[in-house]
Each structure stands twice: as C-alpha cells, then as structure tokens.
Amino acid sequence: MFGLKTTSSERTAVGVFTRDPDLLATYLGITADSTPTAVWSKDLGFASVDDEQASIAWNAASPLRPRPVSLSLEDPADDWFAGRCGPNAEVDALFETADLLLTPVTPGPPHGHDGPGTRINTSLTWAFNLSGHPAISIPAGFDSCGLPVGLQAVARHGREVDLIAAARLISSAVEVAPWPP
C-alpha cells in the first residue's frame, strides 16, 4: 500500500492510501511525469536501523540509482513533543542537488500490539511530518520473518509528481507478494 503525506500551508494534511501509484496520481490530479534524481540515507544521521530493513529498502530503491549521502539531521523528538513544525535547513539544502531523499520507512520490523519497546518506529518519518515535505511509503519486500519492509521517498515541497514517478518505477521493479501470504 502506498501512503502519501501531502502538505498544506499548516503542514498538517492527512495522507492518501492506495495500492496503485496511478490511482494516487489520479486522486491528486497529477498528469505529468518526471525522472527524479535520488539520494539515500540509511538512518538520517540519528536513527538506529536494522541492517536487514536497510538492505531490503536499499535494494528496492535501486531502480532510482540513489547516491548515498551522509546526513546529520537532528533527532526531531524535542520539536515533535513540543508540537512545533517548520523548515529543516539541512533537508532543504539536500533538495538543491536531488529531487528525492530515500530511507527505510521504519528502523525495524513491525511490532506487535505490545508496542515497539524502546525503539520509536516513526523515527525516520516524523522529521518530514514536522517539515511538511511530501513523502510516500513504497512496498519494498519482506524480511526473513515474512514481515513487510517499506521504502520512504521524500520530495521537495510541491513535488508530489516526483513521488508518483518513484512509486511507479519501484513498484514495477519490486515484486511484492499480496498480503496475507
């Protein structure tokens, strides 16, 4: 399932969920296509990510041929818990040289109803909830336990067309079996 977090002037819009990037493009009224350039960060410089999650997401990203980058984003926990949102200078600078930032969606496998334990499974997504950058979650495959892994693509403000292009390219290259198995 593809999950897109669109943005508004208040940066609080709820996303759209669909299984097909073409349906998402129709919903958003996007008729154009793009050929985005991409960069990759396993951990955004602050998260602890399982190697298997990162490897599966990286392999799914390969059709975009992302260039690895070293980021040192500040953990947005203080801003998140204070309810603040705003721009992120390092992410904005990154988008001066690339169209998309790719990461795993979560740092570890899905957790049960008892919760994630000490790991915050939103650590790779909440920086963009706060900055308001549009982002999409793209199915990347399954881990060794059969649990789903996702690839997150983050774009410049107003460039949802790049997210649609990434989802189309990756979903046509990654064979993800229907759930449940």
Side-chain angles (χ1 to χ4, degrees), residues 40-42 49-63 66 102-106 138-141 149-152 170 174:
W40 165 265
S41 175
K42 171 185 171 180
V49 178
D50 292 348
D51 288 338
E52 186 177 26
Q53 296 287 310
S55 176
I56 293 168
W58 168 257
N59 288 335
S62 66
L102 306 176
T103 71
V105 172
T106 61
I138 305 167
V149 175
L151 171 67
Q152 173 178 232
I170 291 165
V174 174

Side-chain angles (χ1 to χ4, degrees), residues 3-8 10-17 24 27-28 129 135:
L4 177 71
K5 297 176 279 189
T6 58
T7 62
S8 69
E10 296 81 27
R11 302 173 192 227
T12 59
V14 176
V16 177
F17 292 95
L24 182 58
Y27 178 84
L28 294 174
N129 291 338

Side-chain angles (χ1 to χ4, degrees), residues 2-3 16 41-42 47-48 52 72 74 91 93 107 135 154 158 165 167:
F2 300 93
V16 177
S41 175
K42 171 185 171 180
S48 173
E52 186 177 26
S72 300
E74 257 186 63
V91 173
V154 182

Side-chain angles (χ1 to χ4, degrees), residues 111-128:
H111 56 77
H113 294 289
D114 56 343
T118 59
R119 180 181 300 186
I120 298 179
N121 265 1
T122 58
S123 65
L124 296 169
T125 59
W126 66 357
F128 310 110

Side-chain angles (χ1 to χ4, degrees), residues 9-176:
S9 59
E10 296 81 27
R11 302 173 192 227
T12 59
V14 176
V16 177
F17 292 95
T18 179
R19 288 187 153 309
D20 183 329
D22 292 327
L23 291 175
L24 182 58
T26 300
Y27 178 84
L28 294 174
I30 294 173
T31 56
D33 203 3
S34 75
T35 308
T37 59
V39 295
W40 165 265
S41 175
K42 171 185 171 180
D43 57 12
L44 301 178
F46 66 82
S48 173
V49 178
D50 292 348
D51 288 338
E52 186 177 26
Q53 296 287 310
S55 176
I56 293 168
W58 168 257
N59 288 335
S62 66
L64 289 166
R65 293 187 299 248
R67 171 179 46 91
V69 294
S70 178
L71 289 178
S72 300
L73 299 185
E74 257 186 63
D75 186 331
D78 291 340
D79 285 343
W80 180 265
F81 292 113
R84 293 187 295 248
C85 65
N88 182 309
E90 189 167 356
V91 173
D92 290 340
L94 177 118
F95 286 129
E96 290 179 16
T97 62
D99 300 313
L100 296 172
L101 168 60
L102 306 176
T103 71
V105 172
T106 61
H111 56 77
H113 294 289
D114 56 343
T118 59
R119 180 181 300 186
I120 298 179
N121 265 1
T122 58
S123 65
L124 296 169
T125 59
W126 66 357
F128 310 110
N129 291 338
L130 291 170
S131 70
H133 286 89
I136 192 167
S137 174
I138 305 167
F142 294 93
D143 69 12
S144 58
C145 294
L147 298 171
V149 175
L151 171 67
Q152 173 178 232
V154 182
R156 290 182 182 106
H157 294 285
R159 290 297 302 177
E160 285 81 356
V161 66
D162 293 332
L163 299 177
I164 301 288
R168 284 177 172 150
L169 186 60
I170 291 165
S171 65
S172 68
V174 174
E175 189 172 322
V176 177

